[in-house]
Amino acid sequence: MDVLSDAIAAMRTGRPHSGRRDKYAPWGMRIEDSEGAGFHVVLRGSAWLLPSAGEPVALAPGDVVFLAHGRGYALTSGPHVEPTVVRFRPDEPPSPPPPPVRDAVPDTVLLCGAYWLDRSRAHPLLTELPEVVHLPATVGAHRSLRATVELLGTELEEPRPGADTIIASLLDTLLLYILRAWWQGEARTDRHPTGWAAALADPAVTSALQAIHAAPDHPWTVEELGAHGGLSRAAFARRFTTLVGRPPLAYLTWWRMTTAGRLLREADLPLRQVAQRSGYTSEFAFAKAFKREYGVAPGQYRRHAS
C-alpha cells in the first residue's frame, strides 16, 4: 500500500460507524473525548462546530469537517445553543436516530460518523493534522470526495441488500479522500509547506517513503533510498530528516515496529514470520528490538491484544 493508506491501516481498529441525522432547531450535541476520530457532512441546512479549542466554525451545505484527535467538541444549530452530551463507544454501534417529526421538514440534515484509532502508534501523518479539518463546499473541488458522500448518504437513507459491506467500504474511502484533499490543499496553497504536507509533495522523499512502505523487510540503506529519488546520500538524508522529522533509517525502524505490532494483532503468524516480514533475519534480534520499542515481548503483546 501507499504511505497514506498504510498510515490509516496501522491505526484503524474495529468497524467505523455512521448515520444520517435529521435536526430540528434548536438542537445541539456534544461529543466527549474518545479514541475516535469523527466526521460530519452538512447535507442540508447549516450548523456550527464548537471545537474544544479555537473559534466556532460556521458550516454550510456540502461542508465536510474531520476531527482526528479525539478531543471533545459540539455541533449545534447556533453558537449559543446548549448541547446534549452524546457518547460513542468503539465496541457499540451508535444509537438509532429518533423518529422523524411527523409532517415536519428538518432544518438540518447531517451525515455523521466515527473511526476508532490506536493512538499508541499514531502516524505523524495524522498527528500533524489541525484540531479541525474543514473542507468547505466549493464548486468543482474534491469531486471524488463529494461522490463518495453522495453514495454514502444514499446507502444510509435507503439500506438495501449488501449495505453493511458497502457502507464500511465507503467509510474507509471517505476517510482517505478527506485526508488526501487536506494534504493536497496544504501543499498547493502554502507557499512554503512544512512537515508531511511538504514530504508528500516532495518527489524524492515520497519515492523513498513508498519504497519503505512497499518493502519494510528489505535491508535498505540511506544511499539506496536516496537513489530512488535521484539524490546523493547526504542530500537525501538532509531533506528526508527535515521534512519527515526523523532520519531515514530511524523512520524505517519505526515503521518496521509498527508493521510488526499490526501483524501480531491481526495475523496468526509464527513469530519467526513476523520477524522476517518486519525486516529481521533473527527472531532474537526482532524480539529485543520489539521490547525496546513497546516495553513488552512480542508474545506478551499478542496475548494482550487478543
Side-chain angles (χ1 to χ4, degrees):
M1 288 192 288
D2 61 88
V3 180
L4 180 56
S5 300
D6 270 346
I8 298 301
M11 293 182 65
R12 277 280 312 280
T13 61
R15 288 174 62 88
H17 296 156
S18 63
R20 182 185 168 108
R21 295 289 186 264
D22 293 346
K23 295 296 182 181
Y24 303 86
W27 60 269
M29 55 183 183
R30 177 174 298 282
I31 289 81
E32 297 185 320
D33 292 0
S34 75
E35 290 301 305
F39 75 87
H40 302 277
V41 184
V42 181
L43 300 179
R44 183 196 305 162
S46 61
W48 284 83
L49 176 71
L50 311 177
S52 58
E55 296 297 317
V57 180
L59 303 177
D63 282 14
V64 178
V65 289
F66 178 65
L67 301 104
H69 302 299
R71 302 187 187 104
Y73 61 93
L75 206 62
T76 68
S77 57
H80 304 297
V81 175
E82 186 65 28
T84 301
V85 174
V86 177
R87 291 182 175 85
F88 293 113
R89 291 184 47 155
D91 55 344
E92 295 179 0
S95 58
V101 178
R102 187 180 299 275
D103 299 327
V105 177
D107 299 281
T108 302
V109 179
L110 300 171
L111 189 61
C112 307
Y115 304 91
W116 304 106
L117 306 176
D118 176 10
R119 299 188 185 279
S120 64
R121 299 293 295 182
H123 195 282
L125 262 172
L126 287 177
T127 58
E128 282 191 8
L129 289 173
E131 180 81 7
V132 177
V133 171
H134 179 204
L135 300 173
T138 305
V139 176
H142 316 313
R143 287 179 294 178
S144 297
L145 172 61
R146 304 297 166 191
T148 305
V149 167
E150 184 174 350
L151 288 169
L152 183 57
T154 300
E155 288 294 329
L156 289 170
E157 185 177 20
E158 301 178 25
R160 287 164 287 183
D164 285 351
T165 300
I166 291 172
I167 289 172
S169 298
L170 287 174
L171 286 170
D172 287 339
T173 303
L174 178 65
L175 177 57
L176 291 170
Y177 276 138
I178 288 173
L179 295 176
R180 179 194 285 179
W182 172 255
W183 288 116
Q184 288 180 341
E186 282 293 283
R188 185 170 56 250
T189 58
D190 192 337
R191 293 182 60 187
H192 302 289
T194 58
W196 279 82
L200 294 179
D202 186 288
V205 173
T206 297
S207 179
L209 286 168
Q210 289 174 341
I212 289 172
H213 280 250
D217 56 336
H218 183 79
W220 295 107
T221 64
V222 177
E223 184 175 13
E224 190 177 7
L225 290 170
H228 272 270
L231 295 177
S232 68
R233 182 185 186 281
F236 165 73
R238 284 194 300 270
R239 186 181 299 185
F240 189 100
T241 304
T242 299
L243 298 182
V244 173
R246 64 183 83 193
L249 297 188
Y251 180 84
L252 171 63
T253 299
W254 181 85
W255 181 247
R256 282 174 169 173
M257 290 293 100
T258 300
T259 300
R262 183 183 174 198
L263 289 172
L264 289 170
R265 290 195 310 269
E266 300 178 1
D268 189 22
L269 295 173
L271 192 59
R272 173 179 53 81
Q273 291 187 27
V274 175
Q276 290 173 348
R277 293 194 184 189
S278 304
Y280 290 83
T281 55
S282 163
E283 188 175 326
F284 174 78
F286 166 72
K288 186 176 180 181
F290 188 92
K291 187 170 184 178
R292 184 169 58 246
E293 186 79 10
Y294 285 86
V296 296
Q300 185 179 350
Y301 178 87
R302 169 175 273 169
R303 288 191 297 273
H304 176 74
S306 64

mmCIF file of all heavy atoms in Angstrom, residues 14-19 21 86-97 112-114 116 164:
data_model
loop_
_atom_site.group_PDB
_atom_site.id
_atom_site.type_symbol
_atom_site.label_atom_id
_atom_site.label_comp_id
_atom_site.label_asym_id
_atom_site.label_seq_id
_atom_site.Cartn_x
_atom_site.Cartn_y
_atom_site.Cartn_z
ATOM 1 N N GLY A 14 -11.373 -1.932 14.832
ATOM 2 C CA GLY A 14 -12.820 -2.072 14.804
ATOM 3 C C GLY A 14 -13.441 -1.580 13.508
ATOM 4 O O GLY A 14 -12.756 -1.279 12.530
ATOM 5 N N ARG A 15 -14.766 -1.480 13.516
ATOM 6 C CA ARG A 15 -15.513 -1.021 12.343
ATOM 7 C C ARG A 15 -15.916 0.439 12.525
ATOM 8 O O ARG A 15 -16.300 0.855 13.616
ATOM 9 C CB ARG A 15 -16.777 -1.864 12.150
ATOM 10 C CG ARG A 15 -16.517 -3.273 11.661
ATOM 11 C CD ARG A 15 -17.801 -4.079 11.645
ATOM 12 N NE ARG A 15 -18.788 -3.505 10.723
ATOM 13 C CZ ARG A 15 -18.866 -3.812 9.431
ATOM 14 N NH1 ARG A 15 -18.009 -4.664 8.906
ATOM 15 N NH2 ARG A 15 -19.805 -3.285 8.672
ATOM 16 N N PRO A 16 -15.850 1.217 11.461
ATOM 17 C CA PRO A 16 -16.323 2.601 11.568
ATOM 18 C C PRO A 16 -17.841 2.641 11.700
ATOM 19 O O PRO A 16 -18.535 1.711 11.290
ATOM 20 C CB PRO A 16 -15.855 3.227 10.250
ATOM 21 C CG PRO A 16 -15.774 2.076 9.296
ATOM 22 C CD PRO A 16 -15.361 0.890 10.112
ATOM 23 N N HIS A 17 -18.342 3.705 12.288
ATOM 24 C CA HIS A 17 -19.775 3.896 12.466
ATOM 25 C C HIS A 17 -20.226 5.130 11.690
ATOM 26 O O HIS A 17 -19.457 6.073 11.503
ATOM 27 C CB HIS A 17 -20.120 4.089 13.949
ATOM 28 C CG HIS A 17 -19.823 2.907 14.797
ATOM 29 N ND1 HIS A 17 -19.594 2.998 16.151
ATOM 30 C CD2 HIS A 17 -19.685 1.589 14.491
ATOM 31 C CE1 HIS A 17 -19.360 1.795 16.646
ATOM 32 N NE2 HIS A 17 -19.396 0.931 15.655
ATOM 33 N N SER A 18 -21.475 5.124 11.266
ATOM 34 C CA SER A 18 -22.005 6.299 10.580
ATOM 35 C C SER A 18 -23.517 6.307 10.702
ATOM 36 O O SER A 18 -24.148 5.287 11.010
ATOM 37 C CB SER A 18 -21.611 6.300 9.098
ATOM 38 O OG SER A 18 -22.185 5.183 8.433
ATOM 39 N N GLY A 19 -24.113 7.463 10.457
ATOM 40 C CA GLY A 19 -25.561 7.584 10.496
ATOM 41 C C GLY A 19 -26.005 8.916 9.911
ATOM 42 O O GLY A 19 -25.226 9.872 9.846
ATOM 43 N N ARG A 21 -28.633 12.034 10.290
ATOM 44 C CA ARG A 21 -29.376 12.656 11.367
ATOM 45 C C ARG A 21 -30.190 13.849 10.864
ATOM 46 O O ARG A 21 -29.636 14.756 10.238
ATOM 47 C CB ARG A 21 -28.418 13.124 12.472
ATOM 48 C CG ARG A 21 -27.673 11.992 13.179
ATOM 49 C CD ARG A 21 -28.623 11.205 14.057
ATOM 50 N NE ARG A 21 -27.933 10.201 14.851
ATOM 51 C CZ ARG A 21 -27.815 8.945 14.512
ATOM 52 N NH1 ARG A 21 -28.282 8.527 13.349
ATOM 53 N NH2 ARG A 21 -27.207 8.084 15.314
ATOM 54 N N VAL A 86 -23.566 13.388 23.780
ATOM 55 C CA VAL A 86 -23.748 12.152 23.022
ATOM 56 C C VAL A 86 -22.496 11.320 23.197
ATOM 57 O O VAL A 86 -21.384 11.801 22.976
ATOM 58 C CB VAL A 86 -23.988 12.444 21.522
ATOM 59 C CG1 VAL A 86 -24.103 11.145 20.741
ATOM 60 C CG2 VAL A 86 -25.236 13.285 21.339
ATOM 61 N N ARG A 87 -22.648 10.060 23.603
ATOM 62 C CA ARG A 87 -21.480 9.203 23.848
ATOM 63 C C ARG A 87 -21.376 8.121 22.788
ATOM 64 O O ARG A 87 -22.368 7.493 22.446
ATOM 65 C CB ARG A 87 -21.576 8.555 25.230
ATOM 66 C CG ARG A 87 -21.412 9.554 26.377
ATOM 67 C CD ARG A 87 -21.476 8.852 27.728
ATOM 68 N NE ARG A 87 -21.207 9.788 28.823
ATOM 69 C CZ ARG A 87 -22.143 10.554 29.380
ATOM 70 N NH1 ARG A 87 -23.393 10.474 28.951
ATOM 71 N NH2 ARG A 87 -21.836 11.376 30.356
ATOM 72 N N PHE A 88 -20.165 7.931 22.284
ATOM 73 C CA PHE A 88 -19.897 6.858 21.336
ATOM 74 C C PHE A 88 -18.881 5.914 21.962
ATOM 75 O O PHE A 88 -17.966 6.336 22.650
ATOM 76 C CB PHE A 88 -19.322 7.413 20.026
ATOM 77 C CG PHE A 88 -20.294 8.239 19.248
ATOM 78 C CD1 PHE A 88 -20.082 9.600 19.076
ATOM 79 C CD2 PHE A 88 -21.416 7.667 18.682
ATOM 80 C CE1 PHE A 88 -20.968 10.365 18.355
ATOM 81 C CE2 PHE A 88 -22.306 8.431 17.957
ATOM 82 C CZ PHE A 88 -22.093 9.789 17.797
ATOM 83 N N ARG A 89 -19.062 4.613 21.712
ATOM 84 C CA ARG A 89 -18.093 3.618 22.152
ATOM 85 C C ARG A 89 -17.667 2.783 20.955
ATOM 86 O O ARG A 89 -18.488 2.447 20.108
ATOM 87 C CB ARG A 89 -18.703 2.701 23.221
ATOM 88 C CG ARG A 89 -18.957 3.384 24.548
ATOM 89 C CD ARG A 89 -19.453 2.382 25.562
ATOM 90 N NE ARG A 89 -18.629 1.175 25.551
ATOM 91 C CZ ARG A 89 -18.518 0.367 26.596
ATOM 92 N NH1 ARG A 89 -19.140 0.628 27.711
ATOM 93 N NH2 ARG A 89 -17.786 -0.721 26.515
ATOM 94 N N PRO A 90 -16.360 2.418 20.884
ATOM 95 C CA PRO A 90 -15.897 1.664 19.719
ATOM 96 C C PRO A 90 -16.482 0.273 19.610
ATOM 97 O O PRO A 90 -16.508 -0.310 18.533
ATOM 98 C CB PRO A 90 -14.370 1.609 19.928
ATOM 99 C CG PRO A 90 -14.166 1.841 21.386
ATOM 100 C CD PRO A 90 -15.273 2.751 21.821
ATOM 101 N N ASP A 91 -16.965 -0.285 20.738
ATOM 102 C CA ASP A 91 -17.489 -1.650 20.700
ATOM 103 C C ASP A 91 -19.007 -1.689 20.596
ATOM 104 O O ASP A 91 -19.614 -2.751 20.694
ATOM 105 C CB ASP A 91 -17.042 -2.420 21.950
ATOM 106 C CG ASP A 91 -17.433 -1.699 23.236
ATOM 107 O OD1 ASP A 91 -17.759 -0.503 23.169
ATOM 108 O OD2 ASP A 91 -17.403 -2.337 24.301
ATOM 109 N N GLU A 92 -19.640 -0.530 20.416
ATOM 110 C CA GLU A 92 -21.084 -0.481 20.296
ATOM 111 C C GLU A 92 -21.486 0.386 19.114
ATOM 112 O O GLU A 92 -20.893 1.442 18.899
ATOM 113 C CB GLU A 92 -21.715 0.104 21.563
ATOM 114 C CG GLU A 92 -21.535 -0.734 22.809
ATOM 115 C CD GLU A 92 -22.169 -0.076 24.016
ATOM 116 O OE1 GLU A 92 -22.745 1.029 23.856
ATOM 117 O OE2 GLU A 92 -22.093 -0.654 25.111
ATOM 118 N N PRO A 93 -22.485 -0.034 18.350
ATOM 119 C CA PRO A 93 -22.967 0.825 17.269
ATOM 120 C C PRO A 93 -23.656 2.052 17.851
ATOM 121 O O PRO A 93 -24.132 2.015 18.986
ATOM 122 C CB PRO A 93 -23.966 -0.066 16.518
ATOM 123 C CG PRO A 93 -24.425 -1.054 17.539
ATOM 124 C CD PRO A 93 -23.254 -1.283 18.453
ATOM 125 N N PRO A 94 -23.693 3.151 17.110
ATOM 126 C CA PRO A 94 -24.361 4.339 17.621
ATOM 127 C C PRO A 94 -25.853 4.091 17.795
ATOM 128 O O PRO A 94 -26.441 3.235 17.138
ATOM 129 C CB PRO A 94 -24.089 5.389 16.535
ATOM 130 C CG PRO A 94 -23.836 4.601 15.301
ATOM 131 C CD PRO A 94 -23.182 3.328 15.750
ATOM 132 N N SER A 95 -26.456 4.829 18.714
ATOM 133 C CA SER A 95 -27.889 4.669 18.944
ATOM 134 C C SER A 95 -28.661 5.085 17.698
ATOM 135 O O SER A 95 -28.227 5.970 16.949
ATOM 136 C CB SER A 95 -28.327 5.530 20.122
ATOM 137 O OG SER A 95 -28.018 6.887 19.878
ATOM 138 N N PRO A 96 -29.787 4.432 17.431
ATOM 139 C CA PRO A 96 -30.556 4.783 16.234
ATOM 140 C C PRO A 96 -31.080 6.206 16.335
ATOM 141 O O PRO A 96 -31.303 6.722 17.430
ATOM 142 C CB PRO A 96 -31.698 3.763 16.238
ATOM 143 C CG PRO A 96 -31.818 3.335 17.662
ATOM 144 C CD PRO A 96 -30.436 3.387 18.221
ATOM 145 N N PRO A 97 -31.287 6.868 15.202
ATOM 146 C CA PRO A 97 -31.791 8.242 15.242
ATOM 147 C C PRO A 97 -33.215 8.266 15.755
ATOM 148 O O PRO A 97 -33.956 7.286 15.631
ATOM 149 C CB PRO A 97 -31.714 8.679 13.771
ATOM 150 C CG PRO A 97 -31.798 7.408 12.994
ATOM 151 C CD PRO A 97 -31.108 6.381 13.833
ATOM 152 N N CYS A 112 -23.051 11.779 9.843
ATOM 153 C CA CYS A 112 -22.086 11.745 10.944
ATOM 154 C C CYS A 112 -21.434 10.371 11.031
ATOM 155 O O CYS A 112 -22.070 9.361 10.714
ATOM 156 C CB CYS A 112 -22.768 12.061 12.274
ATOM 157 S SG CYS A 112 -23.718 13.596 12.290
ATOM 158 N N GLY A 113 -20.198 10.335 11.481
ATOM 159 C CA GLY A 113 -19.527 9.053 11.614
ATOM 160 C C GLY A 113 -18.301 9.143 12.489
ATOM 161 O O GLY A 113 -17.844 10.233 12.861
ATOM 162 N N ALA A 114 -17.757 7.970 12.857
ATOM 163 C CA ALA A 114 -16.568 7.900 13.703
ATOM 164 C C ALA A 114 -15.711 6.721 13.293
ATOM 165 O O ALA A 114 -16.219 5.659 12.925
ATOM 166 C CB ALA A 114 -16.964 7.783 15.173
ATOM 167 N N TRP A 116 -12.359 4.418 14.770
ATOM 168 C CA TRP A 116 -11.682 4.125 16.028
ATOM 169 C C TRP A 116 -10.211 3.846 15.750
ATOM 170 O O TRP A 116 -9.870 3.050 14.878
ATOM 171 C CB TRP A 116 -12.356 2.952 16.723
ATOM 172 C CG TRP A 116 -13.808 3.250 16.903
ATOM 173 C CD1 TRP A 116 -14.851 2.723 16.210
ATOM 174 C CD2 TRP A 116 -14.377 4.229 17.782
ATOM 175 N NE1 TRP A 116 -16.032 3.295 16.602
ATOM 176 C CE2 TRP A 116 -15.775 4.218 17.567
ATOM 177 C CE3 TRP A 116 -13.837 5.107 18.731
ATOM 178 C CZ2 TRP A 116 -16.636 5.055 18.275
ATOM 179 C CZ3 TRP A 116 -14.706 5.929 19.432
ATOM 180 C CH2 TRP A 116 -16.089 5.895 19.212
ATOM 181 N N ASP A 164 -24.319 -3.240 4.605
ATOM 182 C CA ASP A 164 -23.301 -3.244 5.663
ATOM 183 C C ASP A 164 -21.892 -3.194 5.075
ATOM 184 O O ASP A 164 -21.039 -2.419 5.514
ATOM 185 C CB ASP A 164 -23.457 -4.487 6.544
ATOM 186 C CG ASP A 164 -24.643 -4.373 7.486
ATOM 187 O OD1 ASP A 164 -25.233 -3.276 7.573
ATOM 188 O OD2 ASP A 164 -24.984 -5.381 8.128
#
